[in-house]
Amino acid sequence: MSLHHWSLRGRIVALCAMVGLILVGLGVFAAFTAAEHNNQLDDVLNRAGPMRAAGESLSTAVVDQETGVRGYAITGRDANLDPYRQGRSDEDAQIKRIESLLKPGDQAIRDSLEQVKNRIGAWHREVAEPVIATVQRDGVQAAQEQIEAGSTTRFDEVRTAIGEMQGHIQVLRDKGAQAAKDSSQTMVAIEIIAAAIVVLTGVFLLLLLDRLITRPILDLAGQVRRVAAGDYQRHIESRFGVPELVRLAEDVDRMRQQIASELDEVRDTRQQVEWVNQQLQSQTEELTRSNRDLEQFAYVASHDLQEPLRKVASFCQLLQRRYAGQLDERADQYIGFAVDGAQRMQRLINDLLAFSRIGRLTSGFTDVDLNKVLGEVRSQLESRAGADAAISWSTLPTVEGEEPLLTTLFVNLVGNSLKFRRPDVPPEVRISAERDGDEWTFNVRDNGIGIEAEFADKVFLIFQRLHARDAYDGTGIGLAIVKKIVEYHGGRIWLDVDVTPGASIWFTLPALIGADEPGEELQTREVVDA
């Protein structure tokens, strides 16, 4: 896989691994350098210095020996040989000390030490021991003459050999000091190189982040801002950067495409809504014109038609009263038909006017106590109910609505129950209510003749009659008025076709917000003759 496809994490891990390997290498090299530096300091401090001191002590021991031999030769006393004897002891100790500090690589010092030992031995054999023997055998005079006649060459050779050895020791010291200095400089160079690597790594990492993260993100943000400004068709891409940002740009572009697609759908939907609104506006205008026509018709029905209709009904009744019995039977029948038709037309017009006024002429909604309404309904229907009728209801709630319309609603429902009673069966009407969420559900149940299931929807249509006019009076508009009142108050109404005997009509009305449910105490009202 090429470097271009490396992830940001992979690149940083590779960079850190490479720098770590370099720093580990430098650390290992620094450890070896430090160990060598310690060895070099050990050579300077713990070997070259003590060997040089031992060489000085050896030189002093040799001088003490020479001084002791001369003193013994002059005085002949044995006590004067103590410096010689002590010098021989110090000589052996210092030579052993130097030999203990030597390493296999110190061959020059070792050779010079052998030269010192050989020359000291030669001086002992050829100078010191013969002088001591002469004193012991021939006396001090002979020993002095022997010393004066002898040469100092052997002793000078000893001192020269010791000096040469000290020179080699000094060379070892200087070499160790220089090596220690060089190793110190190497350690400093290693530290500088390590610091430079860390700094360069940090700079490279910053440049890498700027090249692979900062600039690509700024470029991506600029593209997103242009899309947010309204250029939804602009393709979003990451032209450079790590694979993570490339994938992020692809995800953002897919989101842009989804938003653009949904926006197109919203635009299409808005156009459709605008078209529908235009159609609704046209229909509203048409409905407004129809309402104006209906209002005009209502005005005509309530004024222009009522007056000639009243005249027709009045004159037909006058004819009926004045000429009743004076004409033949068929003429009386025709006059009766005319009077009945005029009266029925008046009732139809009045009911139609009442139907058209629902929701158009309003007094405003108020809180209506339905218990009070049922009391009013009972009073209105008392004469129609008869002595054996019973109207009962549970405690009913208070709802929001127009009291006159709600009174008309119950008058029509209860009136229908009383009208369509079964022969020889006392009519019973029961009204109940129960809370169902945000609305009240009401039921008006009677024990009358009932309604067939096939007429469940037909009964709520205007001017729909299920019986002949001579069987039951009325215009057939009562339940249509009830349905319109219920819907005007935000409810719905339906017929329960599964009950027998009698009819059961359900309807709903919205409940007052925060109103509590009334108790279930049954309040019974029986309508009796006064």
Side-chain angles (χ1 to χ4, degrees):
M1 184 172 61
S2 64
L3 182 62
H4 178 71
H5 296 90
W6 281 30
S7 66
L8 178 63
R9 178 181 296 177
R11 299 186 190 198
I12 293 179
V13 169
L15 176 63
C16 293
M18 182 179 65
V19 173
L21 289 175
I22 295 175
L23 292 178
V24 168
L26 288 175
V28 173
F29 181 63
F32 281 112
T33 303
E36 186 67 22
H37 180 70
N38 290 333
N39 293 333
Q40 293 159 356
L41 289 178
D42 182 70
D43 289 341
V44 173
L45 299 177
N46 299 326
R47 292 178 62 242
M51 281 194 294
R52 187 175 178 81
E56 294 291 338
S57 297
L58 177 60
S59 178
T60 300
V62 172
V63 171
D64 289 343
Q65 292 180 43
E66 196 271 340
T67 301
V69 170
R70 286 182 179 275
Y72 182 65
I74 293 173
T75 61
R77 290 196 299 252
D78 186 68
N80 288 332
L81 278 178
D82 289 341
Y84 175 75
R85 297 188 187 97
Q86 184 64 39
R88 289 293 298 269
S89 176
D90 292 342
E91 170 194 332
D92 293 338
Q94 298 305 322
I95 288 175
K96 289 180 180 179
R97 184 182 180 190
I98 292 173
E99 287 177 342
S100 66
L101 295 174
L102 290 176
K103 290 184 177 181
D106 301 331
Q107 191 61 42
I109 299 176
R110 192 182 300 276
D111 293 340
S112 63
L113 180 60
E114 289 296 323
Q115 184 69 21
V116 168
K117 289 165 62 177
N118 292 333
R119 291 185 178 182
I120 290 176
W123 180 75
H124 284 161
R125 290 190 305 271
E126 296 177 7
V127 177
E129 291 178 358
V131 171
I132 293 172
T134 300
V135 171
Q136 294 175 349
R137 185 181 64 246
D138 298 329
V140 297
Q141 185 64 36
Q144 291 178 4
E145 291 176 355
Q146 183 180 356
I147 291 174
E148 290 176 356
S151 174
T152 61
T153 302
R154 291 295 183 185
F155 189 77
D156 292 339
E157 290 177 351
V158 171
R159 297 183 68 177
T160 300
I162 292 175
E164 290 177 354
M165 184 186 69
Q166 290 289 79
H168 289 299
I169 293 173
Q170 183 64 35
V171 170
L172 175 64
R173 182 182 181 281
D174 293 343
K175 182 179 178 182
Q178 184 62 39
K181 182 179 180 181
D182 293 341
S183 62
S184 297
Q185 292 176 350
T186 301
M187 290 290 293
V188 173
I190 291 174
E191 293 176 357
I192 293 174
I193 292 173
I197 290 175
V198 171
V199 172
L200 290 176
T201 301
V203 173
F204 181 76
L205 185 59
L206 289 176
L207 294 175
L208 182 67
L209 292 176
D210 179 70
R211 175 66 176 80
L212 300 179
I213 300 296
T214 304
R215 284 192 286 171
I217 287 180
L218 292 176
D219 178 71
L220 182 60
Q223 297 181 62
V224 171
R225 282 193 295 269
R226 285 191 289 272
V227 172
D231 188 5
Y232 296 106
Q233 302 304 321
R234 180 182 180 84
H235 179 64
I236 296 177
E237 62 179 351
S238 180
R239 293 180 289 273
F240 54 91
V242 293
E244 291 91 336
L245 283 178
V246 173
R247 289 193 292 271
L248 176 61
E250 293 173 352
D251 293 338
V252 173
D253 189 64
R254 281 193 292 270
M255 181 176 65
R256 175 200 62 79
Q257 294 174 2
Q258 181 67 26
I259 293 175
S261 176
E262 293 180 356
L263 183 60
D264 291 339
E265 294 179 0
V266 169
R267 287 173 178 170
D268 294 340
T269 304
R270 185 172 62 183
Q271 292 176 355
Q272 294 177 1
V273 169
E274 290 176 354
W275 181 83
V276 171
N277 286 336
Q278 291 176 356
Q279 297 300 315
L280 289 176
Q281 186 176 1
S282 299
Q283 293 178 2
T284 301
E285 294 175 354
E286 182 64 27
L287 182 60
T288 302
R289 287 192 296 270
S290 298
N291 286 336
R292 285 198 300 266
D293 294 340
L294 181 60
E295 291 177 0
Q296 183 64 29
F297 169 76
Y299 178 82
V300 170
S302 61
H303 294 84
D304 298 345
L305 292 181
Q306 290 278 31
E307 181 59 27
L309 187 60
R310 280 195 295 269
K311 288 183 178 180
V312 171
S314 298
F315 281 104
C316 286
Q317 291 172 355
L318 287 175
L319 286 173
Q320 188 179 36
R321 287 196 299 269
R322 176 170 297 184
Y323 297 104
Q326 299 181 20
L327 302 177
D328 58 11
E329 182 179 353
R330 179 165 294 183
D332 291 339
Q333 186 180 12
Y334 290 164
I335 293 174
F337 287 156
V339 171
D340 180 66
Q343 292 175 346
R344 196 151 44 82
M345 179 64 72
Q346 282 184 320
R347 289 195 299 271
L348 284 172
I349 291 175
N350 289 331
D351 288 345
L352 184 60
L353 285 174
F355 184 82
S356 66
R357 290 193 181 104
I358 297 174
R360 189 169 56 87
L361 301 177
T362 177
S363 59
F365 279 21
T366 59
D367 293 347
V368 180
D369 183 1
L370 295 183
N371 296 291
K372 179 181 176 182
V373 169
L374 262 295
E376 176 66 23
V377 170
R378 186 271 314 270
S379 299
Q380 292 186 23
L381 297 177
E382 186 173 3
S383 59
R384 191 193 309 179
D388 55 352
I391 303 173
S392 62
W393 62 90
S394 302
T395 301
L396 300 178
T398 297
V399 298
E400 189 176 29
E402 293 191 26
E403 184 172 348
L405 292 180
L406 294 177
T407 302
T408 301
L409 182 148
F410 283 104
V411 166
N412 280 283
L413 289 176
V414 176
N416 269 10
S417 297
L418 296 175
K419 180 195 302 184
F420 298 103
R421 66 175 67 183
R422 284 183 295 164
D424 303 325
V425 176
E428 295 181 1
V429 184
R430 188 179 187 281
I431 301 96
S432 62
E434 60 181 10
R435 182 71 174 264
D436 184 13
D438 295 334
E439 62 184 10
W440 286 100
T441 301
F442 298 88
N443 177 246
V444 179
R445 177 81 165 86
D446 62 52
N447 64 343
I449 62 175
I451 303 174
E452 298 294 335
E454 59 183 302
F455 302 117
D457 296 328
K458 187 177 180 181
V459 295
F460 296 108
L461 298 178
I462 190 170
F463 298 140
Q464 294 297 316
R465 299 178 58 91
L466 306 182
H467 306 279
R469 282 192 299 271
D470 55 355
Y472 296 96
D473 61 351
T475 60
I477 200 174
L479 289 181
I481 290 177
V482 168
K483 182 175 184 295
K484 190 169 183 181
I485 292 174
V486 170
E487 293 177 347
Y488 173 67
H489 284 80
R492 62 190 188 282
I493 188 169
W494 66 96
L495 176 68
D496 187 354
V497 297
D498 297 328
V499 298
T500 56
S504 178
I505 294 179
W506 295 85
F507 67 94
T508 64
L509 292 176
L512 284 174
I513 298 177
D516 297 329
E517 296 188 16
E520 294 299 326
E521 177 186 359
L522 181 65
Q523 297 185 1
T524 302
R525 306 288 195 272
E526 291 191 0
V527 181
V528 298
D529 288 338

